[in-house]
Amino acid sequence: MSSQNIYILAIESSCDDTAAAVMHNGKILSNVVASQKIHEEYGGVVPELASRAHQQNIVPVVDQALKKAHIDKSQLNAIAFTRGPGLMGSLLVGTSFAKSLAYGLDIPLIDVHHMQAHILAHFIEEADFVKPSFPFLAMTISGGHTQIVKVSSYFDMDVIGETIDDAVGEAFDKSGKILGLGYPAGPEIDRRAQLGNPKAFQFTKPKVDGLNFSFSGLKTAILYFIQKKVKANPNFIAENLNDICASIQYTIIGILIDKLKLASKQTGIHHIAIGGGVSANSGIRQALKNGEQKFGWTTYIPKFEYTTDNAAMIAIVGYLKFLEGNYAEQNVMASARLKI
Ligand code: KG4
Ligand code: ZN
């Protein structure tokens, strides 16, 4: 087989998005995501509903990915899937599907770590995008994770800082809930923040030593602040929503950038990448770009569609592992708490 002609089908089902992508030699041919709307009315992801929706979505999503890529499944060289971390019921749907397909087609099965995929998404072949050079620091910011990772090579990654409580995406989502916004609130806070004054209200940043993060105190501070203001003026939220969103976002970005500055200083590494759902945030993208001038960083910001959960990022890891001949056995098990 020519190493120049490799087709990977990737499946991602770790949380509430059912996704499939087809990659050819590191380039994305199709990237399909079915987002589950059912969770909005509950204000968060309901695991049992998520796995049921994955079961309904997975066949049409995979079909669509193959159709959009204009390839037949007989052309595939391997099936990559998210093994973990994530919700067990959701992971099981993607894992079982990937195993059966790989078995049926008699091609290799490749297990992928979801958070490594958020980082390695930077290595998808894209015109006008420069790939990070090793070593670099990657800050993974999502609804389930907040980590700073030292990346020495594709599969040599060390977590050098992480949250001790809530993830940064949860800080956005929980703040949104306090303000009566829908789930997930991150994108809405981002949209409103661009219309508001970031210095309108001050929230104290948590004091956590070293490179670790904490967001639960900030959420409580926001809750008490809002309760106090609403008591004095029942229309406080409606009258100040954009300013409140801008101030919350400004505080969260400040926390993230402070830790990145410290990580860069401690490691002497100035190449910095971000990944995960929160890296879609316009404020963090701008703050990172500003770091190039301010702190001499070289920054890597993913294409928008590779930030929130997607299968393109699973495909690139599948491709890189395929090149190394690093395959999974048929008895590989989904793992909700897989470590990097
Ligand atoms: O990576 P992701 O899609 O799923 C997880 O693995 O968690 O991240 C989802 C998280 C949610 O918390 C959502 O509110 C947040 O990413 N998010 C944002 C933005 N877009 C998505 N947070 C802030 N600003 C955004 N533009
Ligand atoms: Zn994710």
Short mmCIF file of all heavy atoms in Angstrom, two decimals, residues 118 122 139-143 168-169 172 184 186-191 194 249 253 256 274-288 300-310:
data_model
loop_
_atom_site.label_atom_id
_atom_site.label_comp_id
_atom_site.label_asym_id
_atom_site.label_seq_id
_atom_site.Cartn_x
_atom_site.Cartn_y
_atom_site.Cartn_z
N HIS A 118 -7.78 17.09 20.69
CA HIS A 118 -7.96 18.55 20.69
C HIS A 118 -6.62 19.24 20.43
O HIS A 118 -6.56 20.28 19.79
CB HIS A 118 -8.53 19.01 22.04
CG HIS A 118 -10.03 19.00 22.12
ND1 HIS A 118 -10.82 19.69 21.24
CD2 HIS A 118 -10.88 18.42 23.01
CE1 HIS A 118 -12.10 19.51 21.56
NE2 HIS A 118 -12.16 18.74 22.62
N HIS A 122 -4.18 20.62 15.53
CA HIS A 122 -3.30 21.60 14.88
C HIS A 122 -2.47 21.00 13.75
O HIS A 122 -1.83 21.73 13.01
CB HIS A 122 -2.36 22.22 15.91
CG HIS A 122 -3.05 23.16 16.84
ND1 HIS A 122 -3.34 24.46 16.51
CD2 HIS A 122 -3.55 22.99 18.08
CE1 HIS A 122 -3.97 25.05 17.49
NE2 HIS A 122 -4.12 24.18 18.47
N MET A 139 -2.87 24.64 25.69
CA MET A 139 -3.87 24.81 26.75
C MET A 139 -5.18 24.24 26.20
O MET A 139 -5.70 24.74 25.21
CB MET A 139 -4.01 26.28 27.12
CG MET A 139 -4.96 26.46 28.30
SD MET A 139 -4.91 28.13 28.98
CE MET A 139 -5.63 29.03 27.63
N THR A 140 -5.65 23.18 26.83
CA THR A 140 -6.91 22.56 26.40
C THR A 140 -8.02 23.09 27.30
O THR A 140 -7.99 22.91 28.52
CB THR A 140 -6.84 21.03 26.48
OG1 THR A 140 -6.41 20.66 27.78
CG2 THR A 140 -5.89 20.47 25.45
N ILE A 141 -8.95 23.74 26.67
CA ILE A 141 -10.03 24.40 27.43
C ILE A 141 -11.37 23.96 26.84
O ILE A 141 -11.70 24.29 25.72
CB ILE A 141 -9.86 25.94 27.40
CG1 ILE A 141 -9.40 26.42 26.01
CG2 ILE A 141 -8.87 26.40 28.45
CD1 ILE A 141 -9.19 27.92 25.89
N SER A 142 -12.11 23.18 27.66
CA SER A 142 -13.39 22.67 27.14
C SER A 142 -14.40 22.61 28.27
O SER A 142 -14.16 23.12 29.37
CB SER A 142 -13.18 21.29 26.53
OG SER A 142 -13.06 20.33 27.54
N GLY A 143 -15.54 21.95 27.97
CA GLY A 143 -16.57 21.82 29.00
C GLY A 143 -16.20 20.82 30.08
O GLY A 143 -16.76 20.82 31.16
N VAL A 168 -13.06 25.28 32.58
CA VAL A 168 -13.36 26.65 32.17
C VAL A 168 -14.69 26.74 31.41
O VAL A 168 -15.45 27.70 31.58
CB VAL A 168 -12.18 27.27 31.40
CG1 VAL A 168 -11.89 26.52 30.12
CG2 VAL A 168 -12.43 28.74 31.10
N GLY A 169 -15.01 25.72 30.61
CA GLY A 169 -16.30 25.71 29.90
C GLY A 169 -17.46 25.70 30.89
O GLY A 169 -18.48 26.35 30.68
N PHE A 172 -18.12 29.13 32.16
CA PHE A 172 -18.98 29.88 31.23
C PHE A 172 -20.43 29.40 31.35
O PHE A 172 -21.35 30.21 31.48
CB PHE A 172 -18.51 29.67 29.78
CG PHE A 172 -17.43 30.62 29.34
CD1 PHE A 172 -16.09 30.23 29.28
CD2 PHE A 172 -17.74 31.93 28.97
CE1 PHE A 172 -15.10 31.12 28.86
CE2 PHE A 172 -16.76 32.82 28.55
CZ PHE A 172 -15.44 32.41 28.50
N PRO A 184 -25.44 25.29 25.79
CA PRO A 184 -24.29 25.80 26.55
C PRO A 184 -24.20 27.31 26.40
O PRO A 184 -24.45 27.85 25.32
CB PRO A 184 -23.10 25.11 25.88
CG PRO A 184 -23.55 24.86 24.48
CD PRO A 184 -25.05 24.69 24.50
N GLY A 186 -21.54 29.34 26.74
CA GLY A 186 -20.28 29.95 26.28
C GLY A 186 -20.44 30.82 25.04
O GLY A 186 -20.04 32.00 25.04
N PRO A 187 -21.02 30.29 23.96
CA PRO A 187 -21.14 31.09 22.73
C PRO A 187 -21.97 32.37 22.93
O PRO A 187 -21.64 33.42 22.38
CB PRO A 187 -21.82 30.14 21.75
CG PRO A 187 -21.51 28.77 22.25
CD PRO A 187 -21.43 28.89 23.74
N GLU A 188 -23.03 32.28 23.75
CA GLU A 188 -23.90 33.46 23.98
C GLU A 188 -23.16 34.51 24.82
O GLU A 188 -23.24 35.72 24.55
CB GLU A 188 -25.17 32.96 24.70
CG GLU A 188 -26.13 34.04 25.18
CD GLU A 188 -27.00 34.61 24.08
OE1 GLU A 188 -26.83 34.20 22.92
OE2 GLU A 188 -27.84 35.48 24.39
N ILE A 189 -22.41 34.06 25.82
CA ILE A 189 -21.63 35.01 26.63
C ILE A 189 -20.61 35.71 25.73
O ILE A 189 -20.42 36.93 25.79
CB ILE A 189 -20.95 34.29 27.83
CG1 ILE A 189 -22.03 33.81 28.81
CG2 ILE A 189 -19.92 35.20 28.51
CD1 ILE A 189 -21.51 33.13 30.06
N ASP A 190 -19.99 34.91 24.85
CA ASP A 190 -19.00 35.45 23.92
C ASP A 190 -19.63 36.53 23.03
O ASP A 190 -19.08 37.64 22.86
CB ASP A 190 -18.47 34.28 23.06
CG ASP A 190 -17.33 34.66 22.14
OD1 ASP A 190 -16.90 35.82 22.17
OD2 ASP A 190 -16.87 33.78 21.39
N ARG A 191 -20.81 36.22 22.48
CA ARG A 191 -21.48 37.16 21.57
C ARG A 191 -21.82 38.47 22.29
O ARG A 191 -21.57 39.57 21.81
CB ARG A 191 -22.77 36.51 21.04
CG ARG A 191 -23.39 37.20 19.85
CD ARG A 191 -24.66 36.48 19.40
NE ARG A 191 -25.71 36.46 20.42
CZ ARG A 191 -26.47 37.50 20.74
NH1 ARG A 191 -26.30 38.65 20.14
NH2 ARG A 191 -27.39 37.38 21.68
N GLN A 194 -18.90 40.91 23.36
CA GLN A 194 -18.37 41.81 22.32
C GLN A 194 -19.15 43.11 22.24
O GLN A 194 -18.71 44.08 21.64
CB GLN A 194 -18.39 41.08 20.97
CG GLN A 194 -17.43 39.90 20.97
CD GLN A 194 -17.54 39.04 19.74
OE1 GLN A 194 -17.45 39.53 18.62
NE2 GLN A 194 -17.72 37.75 19.92
N GLN A 249 -16.27 37.27 31.04
CA GLN A 249 -15.33 36.76 30.04
C GLN A 249 -13.93 37.35 30.23
O GLN A 249 -12.93 36.64 30.14
CB GLN A 249 -15.86 37.08 28.63
CG GLN A 249 -14.96 36.53 27.53
CD GLN A 249 -15.66 36.49 26.19
OE1 GLN A 249 -16.73 35.91 26.07
NE2 GLN A 249 -15.07 37.10 25.18
N ILE A 253 -10.62 35.10 30.94
CA ILE A 253 -9.47 35.17 30.03
C ILE A 253 -8.22 35.59 30.80
O ILE A 253 -7.13 35.07 30.58
CB ILE A 253 -9.76 36.13 28.85
CG1 ILE A 253 -10.83 35.50 27.96
CG2 ILE A 253 -8.50 36.42 28.05
CD1 ILE A 253 -11.38 36.44 26.91
N LEU A 256 -6.75 32.60 32.48
CA LEU A 256 -6.09 31.69 31.54
C LEU A 256 -4.74 32.26 31.06
O LEU A 256 -3.73 31.55 31.02
CB LEU A 256 -6.99 31.42 30.32
CG LEU A 256 -8.33 30.73 30.60
CD1 LEU A 256 -9.16 30.61 29.32
CD2 LEU A 256 -8.13 29.34 31.21
N ILE A 274 -3.84 26.58 21.54
CA ILE A 274 -5.04 26.31 22.34
C ILE A 274 -5.92 25.31 21.60
O ILE A 274 -5.83 25.19 20.38
CB ILE A 274 -5.86 27.59 22.66
CG1 ILE A 274 -6.15 28.41 21.39
CG2 ILE A 274 -5.19 28.42 23.73
CD1 ILE A 274 -7.13 29.56 21.61
N GLY A 275 -6.75 24.62 22.36
CA GLY A 275 -7.67 23.65 21.76
C GLY A 275 -8.85 23.40 22.69
O GLY A 275 -8.80 23.76 23.87
N GLY A 276 -9.91 22.80 22.16
CA GLY A 276 -11.10 22.54 22.97
C GLY A 276 -12.16 23.60 22.72
O GLY A 276 -11.86 24.68 22.17
N GLY A 277 -13.40 23.29 23.11
CA GLY A 277 -14.55 24.14 22.81
C GLY A 277 -14.37 25.61 23.14
O GLY A 277 -14.77 26.49 22.37
N VAL A 278 -13.73 25.91 24.29
CA VAL A 278 -13.62 27.31 24.70
C VAL A 278 -12.61 28.07 23.81
O VAL A 278 -12.63 29.30 23.76
CB VAL A 278 -13.26 27.41 26.21
CG1 VAL A 278 -13.13 28.85 26.66
CG2 VAL A 278 -14.30 26.69 27.05
N SER A 279 -11.79 27.35 23.06
CA SER A 279 -10.86 28.07 22.17
C SER A 279 -11.61 28.67 20.97
O SER A 279 -11.02 29.37 20.15
CB SER A 279 -9.68 27.20 21.73
OG SER A 279 -10.12 26.06 21.07
N ALA A 280 -12.93 28.42 20.90
CA ALA A 280 -13.76 29.14 19.91
C ALA A 280 -14.01 30.57 20.38
O ALA A 280 -14.43 31.42 19.59
CB ALA A 280 -15.10 28.43 19.74
N ASN A 281 -13.74 30.85 21.63
CA ASN A 281 -14.07 32.17 22.21
C ASN A 281 -13.25 33.30 21.57
O ASN A 281 -12.01 33.24 21.51
CB ASN A 281 -13.81 32.11 23.72
CG ASN A 281 -14.21 33.40 24.41
OD1 ASN A 281 -13.41 34.32 24.53
ND2 ASN A 281 -15.46 33.47 24.83
N SER A 282 -13.94 34.33 21.12
CA SER A 282 -13.27 35.41 20.39
C SER A 282 -12.28 36.15 21.30
O SER A 282 -11.22 36.58 20.85
CB SER A 282 -14.29 36.39 19.83
OG SER A 282 -15.04 36.96 20.87
N GLY A 283 -12.62 36.27 22.58
CA GLY A 283 -11.75 36.98 23.52
C GLY A 283 -10.44 36.25 23.76
O GLY A 283 -9.37 36.86 23.75
N ILE A 284 -10.51 34.94 23.94
CA ILE A 284 -9.27 34.20 24.20
C ILE A 284 -8.42 34.15 22.93
O ILE A 284 -7.19 34.23 22.99
CB ILE A 284 -9.54 32.78 24.78
CG1 ILE A 284 -8.23 32.10 25.23
CG2 ILE A 284 -10.25 31.85 23.81
CD1 ILE A 284 -7.62 32.68 26.43
N ARG A 285 -9.07 34.08 21.79
CA ARG A 285 -8.32 34.07 20.52
C ARG A 285 -7.55 35.39 20.35
O ARG A 285 -6.38 35.41 19.99
CB ARG A 285 -9.27 33.84 19.33
CG ARG A 285 -9.87 32.44 19.33
CD ARG A 285 -11.02 32.30 18.36
NE ARG A 285 -10.65 31.85 17.05
CZ ARG A 285 -10.59 30.57 16.65
NH1 ARG A 285 -10.90 29.62 17.49
NH2 ARG A 285 -10.24 30.25 15.43
N GLN A 286 -8.23 36.50 20.67
CA GLN A 286 -7.59 37.81 20.56
C GLN A 286 -6.47 37.95 21.59
O GLN A 286 -5.37 38.42 21.28
CB GLN A 286 -8.65 38.91 20.76
CG GLN A 286 -8.15 40.31 20.44
CD GLN A 286 -7.60 40.44 19.02
OE1 GLN A 286 -8.26 40.05 18.05
NE2 GLN A 286 -6.38 40.95 18.87
N ALA A 287 -6.75 37.52 22.83
CA ALA A 287 -5.75 37.66 23.90
C ALA A 287 -4.49 36.87 23.55
O ALA A 287 -3.36 37.31 23.83
CB ALA A 287 -6.34 37.17 25.22
N LEU A 288 -4.67 35.72 22.95
CA LEU A 288 -3.53 34.89 22.58
C LEU A 288 -2.71 35.58 21.48
O LEU A 288 -1.49 35.66 21.55
CB LEU A 288 -4.02 33.53 22.10
CG LEU A 288 -3.07 32.38 22.41
CD1 LEU A 288 -3.01 32.11 23.89
CD2 LEU A 288 -3.49 31.12 21.68
N TYR A 300 -0.76 29.38 18.10
CA TYR A 300 -1.47 28.51 17.15
C TYR A 300 -2.92 28.42 17.59
O TYR A 300 -3.23 27.91 18.67
CB TYR A 300 -0.83 27.12 17.14
CG TYR A 300 0.65 27.17 16.85
CD1 TYR A 300 1.58 27.22 17.90
CD2 TYR A 300 1.12 27.21 15.54
CE1 TYR A 300 2.94 27.30 17.64
CE2 TYR A 300 2.48 27.28 15.28
CZ TYR A 300 3.38 27.34 16.33
OH TYR A 300 4.72 27.41 16.07
N ILE A 301 -3.78 28.96 16.75
CA ILE A 301 -5.21 29.01 17.08
C ILE A 301 -5.95 28.15 16.06
O ILE A 301 -5.81 28.37 14.86
CB ILE A 301 -5.69 30.48 17.05
CG1 ILE A 301 -4.90 31.27 18.10
CG2 ILE A 301 -7.19 30.58 17.30
CD1 ILE A 301 -5.09 32.76 18.04
N PRO A 302 -6.71 27.16 16.53
CA PRO A 302 -7.31 26.23 15.55
C PRO A 302 -8.41 26.87 14.72
O PRO A 302 -9.03 27.85 15.14
CB PRO A 302 -7.89 25.12 16.43
CG PRO A 302 -8.03 25.70 17.79
CD PRO A 302 -7.06 26.83 17.91
N LYS A 303 -8.62 26.30 13.55
CA LYS A 303 -9.75 26.68 12.72
C LYS A 303 -11.02 26.47 13.54
O LYS A 303 -11.11 25.50 14.30
CB LYS A 303 -9.77 25.75 11.51
CG LYS A 303 -9.96 26.43 10.20
CD LYS A 303 -9.88 25.41 9.10
CE LYS A 303 -10.83 25.77 8.00
NZ LYS A 303 -10.84 24.80 6.92
N PHE A 304 -11.97 27.35 13.37
CA PHE A 304 -13.18 27.34 14.19
C PHE A 304 -13.84 25.96 14.28
O PHE A 304 -14.20 25.49 15.36
CB PHE A 304 -14.16 28.37 13.61
CG PHE A 304 -15.21 28.76 14.57
CD1 PHE A 304 -14.93 29.60 15.64
CD2 PHE A 304 -16.49 28.26 14.43
CE1 PHE A 304 -15.92 29.95 16.55
CE2 PHE A 304 -17.48 28.60 15.34
CZ PHE A 304 -17.20 29.45 16.39
N GLU A 305 -13.98 25.26 13.13
CA GLU A 305 -14.70 23.97 13.17
C GLU A 305 -13.92 22.85 13.85
O GLU A 305 -14.45 21.77 14.07
CB GLU A 305 -15.14 23.53 11.76
CG GLU A 305 -14.04 23.37 10.76
CD GLU A 305 -13.92 24.61 9.87
OE1 GLU A 305 -13.96 25.74 10.39
OE2 GLU A 305 -13.78 24.43 8.64
N TYR A 306 -12.64 23.11 14.19
CA TYR A 306 -11.87 22.09 14.90
C TYR A 306 -11.74 22.42 16.40
O TYR A 306 -10.90 21.85 17.09
CB TYR A 306 -10.46 21.94 14.30
CG TYR A 306 -10.46 21.61 12.82
CD1 TYR A 306 -9.44 22.08 11.99
CD2 TYR A 306 -11.46 20.83 12.26
CE1 TYR A 306 -9.43 21.78 10.64
CE2 TYR A 306 -11.47 20.54 10.90
CZ TYR A 306 -10.45 21.01 10.09
OH TYR A 306 -10.44 20.72 8.75
N THR A 307 -12.53 23.38 16.88
CA THR A 307 -12.43 23.73 18.30
C THR A 307 -13.40 22.91 19.14
O THR A 307 -12.99 22.13 19.97
CB THR A 307 -12.69 25.24 18.52
OG1 THR A 307 -13.94 25.56 17.95
CG2 THR A 307 -11.61 26.09 17.91
N THR A 308 -14.72 23.08 18.90
CA THR A 308 -15.68 22.27 19.67
C THR A 308 -15.59 20.82 19.14
O THR A 308 -14.96 20.56 18.12
CB THR A 308 -17.12 22.81 19.53
OG1 THR A 308 -17.36 23.09 18.17
CG2 THR A 308 -17.31 24.07 20.34
N ASP A 309 -16.24 19.90 19.86
CA ASP A 309 -16.04 18.49 19.56
C ASP A 309 -16.34 18.16 18.09
O ASP A 309 -17.36 18.57 17.55
CB ASP A 309 -16.89 17.63 20.48
CG ASP A 309 -16.30 17.65 21.89
OD1 ASP A 309 -15.16 18.13 22.05
OD2 ASP A 309 -16.99 17.18 22.81
N ASN A 310 -15.43 17.42 17.48
CA ASN A 310 -15.54 17.08 16.05
C ASN A 310 -14.74 15.81 15.81
O ASN A 310 -13.93 15.41 16.65
CB ASN A 310 -14.98 18.24 15.22
CG ASN A 310 -13.50 18.45 15.45
OD1 ASN A 310 -12.68 17.82 14.81
ND2 ASN A 310 -13.12 19.30 16.41
#
